[in-house]
Amino acid sequence: MKNNRMLRITVIVLLCLSAFIYFLQIAIFHDPSTTFFYIFQDMAFLPFSVAVATLIVGTVLNEKEKNERIASTRMLRSSFFTSAGAEMLAMMWKGTDNLDLKILAPTAELSCAQTEKEIHRQQKEMLAMDVKVHLNEEIYSGVKKILESKRSDLLVLSSNPSLMESECFTDMLWGCFHLIDEFRLRGEWKALGPEDKEHMEADFGKVFVLVLANSLENTFYLRKTYPNFYGSAKAKIRRSQDEKDV
């Protein structure tokens, strides 16, 4: 209430000061027509300046604030891979084939020359891939166990509005929740029929690509911010690749 009163007083003082300056100008130069001409000219420019400030400057600032909010949640997003994502990725990777290793390589090895712009370009390439995870009981039951045990953690992440501003991460979370619903509906591996398995392989492929794309950005963030932790994560991914080759 006090702030509103001070604001009104400030506005009144400024208006009075403006009127006094215009009056002083007319009194000194005795040219009211020129003064009123410039008053109307300033008033004509006012809508344009408001439009520029609102539409252009406001949009730039909002985008900057959004990016800052997303950047501030990187550690939270990284916690997904610590608790569930890395295990899911390693488990589903066992059922994939015919993947472009040049695209997947950055998840295990990131050169210091890479930038965020390059990372986002590679993410788009990953998201455009059509991947099918060939399921067996080990992969199906393993991912089912991971997601069901981490369901509470996923709910906590999804309740954070700042995290939801990252579209790729949001799509990944919704994909994980969709798999949880599918597990609840279809049950254990032995209860699945041929059509169920084909449907689940397609769903696993979509989630795999989303987890992979987000892991690339997360790995880039870890390498730049926590290089020691990044080294451990890189070694873990290499071990999972070696296990698949064996």
Side-chain angles (χ1 to χ4, degrees), residues 86-128:
E87 290 182 75
M88 281 179 58
L89 193 60
M91 185 66 67
M92 289 190 289
W93 208 318
K94 296 177 182 179
T96 60
D97 55 12
N98 299 324
L99 291 181
D100 188 347
L101 295 180
K102 291 181 180 179
I103 294 179
L104 302 185
T107 59
E109 196 73 49
L110 285 165
S111 70
C112 294
Q114 281 183 305
T115 63
E116 285 192 39
K117 185 176 180 179
E118 292 172 334
I119 293 298
H120 293 156
R121 178 184 57 78
Q122 290 177 345
Q123 278 186 311
K124 289 182 180 180
E125 292 179 3
M126 289 179 177
L127 293 173

Side-chain angles (χ1 to χ4, degrees), residues 95 133-137 139-140 189 192 197 200-201 204:
V133 178
H134 301 287
L135 294 179
N136 55 34
E137 185 172 3
I139 298 172
Y140 180 88
W189 170 258
L192 267 60
K197 291 179 181 178
M200 291 301 293
E201 284 183 349
F204 266 66

Side-chain angles (χ1 to χ4, degrees), residues 127-224:
L127 293 173
M129 292 191 304
D130 184 16
V131 177
K132 190 173 183 180
V133 178
H134 301 287
L135 294 179
N136 55 34
E137 185 172 3
E138 178 193 4
I139 298 172
Y140 180 88
S141 301
V143 174
K144 181 175 183 291
K145 182 179 179 182
I146 292 169
L147 285 178
E148 289 180 345
S149 64
K150 302 299 181 181
R151 188 170 181 272
S152 297
D153 295 342
L154 295 177
L155 286 171
V156 171
L157 288 174
S158 65
S159 65
N160 190 313
S162 295
L163 280 174
M164 294 300 99
E165 292 193 47
S166 175
E167 185 177 346
C168 188
F169 189 82
T170 302
D171 290 342
M172 183 190 68
L173 285 183
W174 294 155
C176 290
F177 282 121
H178 177 71
L179 282 185
I180 291 174
D181 290 336
E182 291 281 9
F183 291 140
R184 188 184 300 113
L185 175 67
R186 301 179 191 278
E188 299 299 326
W189 170 258
K190 293 179 181 179
L192 267 60
E195 291 184 0
D196 294 323
K197 291 179 181 178
E198 184 177 357
H199 178 82
M200 291 301 293
E201 284 183 349
D203 284 348
F204 266 66
K206 293 176 183 177
V207 174
F208 172 79
V209 168
L210 286 166
V211 175
L212 187 66
N214 280 278
S215 72
L216 176 63
E217 185 177 4
N218 180 64
T219 307
F220 175 76
Y221 159 71
L222 288 177
R223 187 212 59 183
K224 192 166 72 171

